[in-house]
Amino acid sequence: MSTEYPFAIIGGTGNTQLTGFVPVRTEWVETPWGKPSAPVLMGDLHGVPVAFLPRHGLEHRFAPHLINYRANLWALDAIGVSRVLALAAVGGIRPEMVPGSLIIPDQLIDYTHGRSGTYCESDTDSIPHIDFTEPFDSAWRAQLLATAENIGLTVVGHGTYAVTQGPRLETAAEIRRLERDGCDMVGMTVMPEAALARELGMSYACCAMVGNWAAGKQDRPVLQDLDRNMEEAKSRLNRLLRAGLSRWIPGPT
Ligand code: HPA
């Protein structure tokens, strides 16, 4: 197995392309689970080898409930990726989760349904009772936070990500319920992605990019300033990537 690209970024809404990324190779990886959202793009980001996979496809065609998460993670594993940074646009629920900011969540609650969330498909497969107490890799999260601290970048260091089914946004009452459940932000994509990464033994952390206040949190239309807020979050993300990438690449396993 090639380990030329042990590190991957999964792009989300607003991140179908990575600023500064120079692809040198693209590969449609065959998987037993069907087609990934896009070919894996392998290339150079700030002098570091990075594999990139936009989870919604190159033209943002796949809604969150239609993404082939199993094929996506399988494809990354197949090319030798062992560590994943998942970018995900979210709505902010708690006051610190201000649009334009970055969050490294430490917990999630899965409200999705009907998504294929495991590689265990038959009674001949071993049953993957993965330990999911900490759904995001703690050591990997700590590295992301250490990088942010080193460069004086404000990043919210923890929080619970509510994963909703979408593609519609939530009602104000649903957001109030998520808040009562202890959720700090809401998005649609880290599940089953995080669980599948754990089944494959990959180290997975998320950088949530706050695009809007969640429904009912302000009087204006929810997505009114989405593009501007995502641009702000992206410029923060670029600072983080530039500062950290060379240190985040895992060594040979
Ligand atoms: N809800 C769910 N998913 C999202 C949101 C939201 O408000 N913003 C970005 N992704």
Side-chain angles (χ1 to χ4, degrees):
M1 184 199 285
S2 152
T3 49
E4 222 184 317
Y5 291 94
F7 180 81
I9 296 177
I10 297 181
T13 299
N15 286 290
T16 41
Q17 291 181 352
L18 282 179
T19 312
F21 181 66
V22 184
V24 294
R25 183 149 72 89
T26 60
E27 192 173 327
W28 273 110
V29 182
E30 302 259 338
T31 87
W33 314 99
K35 242 176 137 176
S37 301
V40 181
L41 310 178
M42 287 162 265
D44 177 286
L45 184 60
H46 307 314
V48 176
V50 169
F52 178 64
L53 183 61
R55 70 164 77 73
H56 297 282
L58 289 170
E59 284 145 27
H60 206 281
R61 279 191 307 127
F62 300 106
H65 64 300
L66 298 177
I67 292 169
N68 191 339
Y69 295 94
R70 290 195 294 193
N72 285 353
L73 273 294
W74 192 273
L76 294 178
D77 185 56
I79 64 153
V81 168
S82 55
R83 175 175 283 180
V84 174
L85 177 63
L87 307 178
V90 297
I93 298 180
R94 300 264 183 225
E96 316 89 274
M97 313 303 180
V98 179
S101 59
L102 301 181
I103 312 165
I104 309 296
D106 59 339
Q107 279 296 328
L108 63 81
I109 300 180
D110 187 4
Y111 298 92
T112 68
H113 48 85
R115 302 184 184 187
S116 299
T118 174
Y119 291 108
C120 176
E121 280 282 294
S122 88
D123 60 7
T124 55
D125 293 335
S126 67
I127 303 175
H129 288 309
I130 51 167
D131 186 334
F132 211 45
T133 313
E134 301 294 335
F136 303 104
D137 185 304
S138 310
W140 173 205
R141 287 183 58 258
Q143 284 196 48
L144 286 162
L145 293 173
T147 303
E149 197 176 337
N150 277 343
I151 58 169
L153 178 71
T154 306
V155 166
V156 182
H158 61 93
T160 299
Y161 181 133
V163 198
T164 55
Q165 177 70 357
R168 69 166 176 84
L169 296 168
E170 299 72 33
T171 66
E174 285 170 336
I175 293 297
R176 287 195 295 274
R177 179 178 74 139
L178 296 182
E179 200 167 6
R180 286 194 299 277
D181 281 357
C183 298
D184 302 302
M185 74 208 87
V186 57
M188 302 174 188
T189 50
V190 301
M191 282 299 283
E193 209 171 79
L196 293 167
R198 183 68 53 86
E199 280 193 12
L200 291 171
M202 298 163 115
S203 158
Y204 178 99
C206 169
C207 178
M209 305 169 72
V210 188
N212 56 282
W213 285 115
K217 289 287 165 190
Q218 63 166 14
D219 293 334
R220 293 189 293 167
V222 179
L223 298 183
Q224 183 164 292
D225 299 320
L226 180 76
D227 291 345
R228 188 161 50 93
N229 295 329
M230 286 304 288
E231 284 309 313
E232 203 185 314
K234 264 200 266 186
S235 79
R236 294 200 161 100
L237 171 73
N238 288 336
R239 283 182 60 200
L240 189 68
L241 293 174
R242 208 177 266 282
L245 268 176
S246 59
R247 281 174 243 178
W248 299 339
I249 305 300
T253 45

